[in-house]
Amino acid sequence: MVLAGYLVLFPAASYVADRIHPTGAVLWMLAVLPVLPILGVMSLMGQYLRNEKDEYKRDLAVRCLLWGTAGMVIVNLFSTYLRIFGWNGQLFPFSEFFVFLGFMLVAKISYRMSNRVPADE
C-alpha cells in the first residue's frame, strides 16, 4: 500500500513540475514528494526486521538488502568516475534503484537455491 502512494505521488509531482516549471523551495518540495513512500518502505522494512522472530528469515532479509545496497553503491561510484574522467552523459533514470532491486532478487534466488531442503526431509 505504501508503494501505491509512490504510483500516485510521482506522476502528480511530475505533472505539476512540467506545468509550472518550479524553482527554489517549490522544486525541492515537489522532489521530496515521491521520496516519502520510499522512506515509508524503509521504515516498514526496519519494523519487519525488528519484529521478525525467525533469525534465519531476518538474516536472509538483511543479506539481500546488503547485496542490493552494494550493487547500488557500485553503480553510483561507476557513474561518478565516468563523470570525473570526462563523460558528459548520464545513466537512465532510476538506474541505481533498478540495480538495487536486481541485486536483491539475485541474492534472494541464490540463497534460496543454496539452502534448499531435499523433498524427502
Side-chain angles (χ1 to χ4, degrees):
M1 291 302 296
V2 175
L3 282 180
Y6 178 80
L7 296 175
V8 171
L9 289 175
F10 176 63
S14 178
Y15 177 80
V16 171
D18 287 343
R19 297 292 178 248
I20 67 171
H21 305 289
T23 59
V26 175
L27 177 65
W28 284 70
M29 288 182 354
L30 282 176
V32 84
L33 282 177
V35 174
L36 294 176
I38 305 300
L39 290 173
V41 168
M42 290 178 181
S43 173
L44 289 173
M45 189 64 180
Q47 291 174 16
Y48 165 76
L49 291 173
R50 183 186 67 218
N51 296 329
E52 179 59 63
K53 303 298 183 216
D54 186 345
E55 291 180 21
Y56 175 75
K57 287 182 181 179
R58 185 174 46 237
D59 182 57
L60 183 64
V62 169
R63 286 179 184 213
C64 291
L65 285 169
L66 286 173
W67 274 102
T69 303
M72 190 169 58
V73 168
I74 289 167
V75 169
N76 186 309
L77 287 171
F78 176 71
S79 65
T80 300
Y81 282 122
L82 283 174
R83 282 189 213 83
I84 288 171
F85 297 146
W87 185 54
N88 292 326
Q90 66 181 32
L91 299 176
F92 60 91
F94 305 109
S95 59
E96 292 168 344
F97 181 67
F98 293 129
V99 168
F100 175 79
L101 293 178
F103 268 66
M104 276 189 60
L105 181 63
V106 168
K108 176 99 176 183
I109 291 169
S110 68
Y111 285 128
R112 185 163 288 177
M113 296 289 288
S114 65
N115 294 314
R116 291 190 341 180
V117 176
D120 59 348
E121 288 186 25

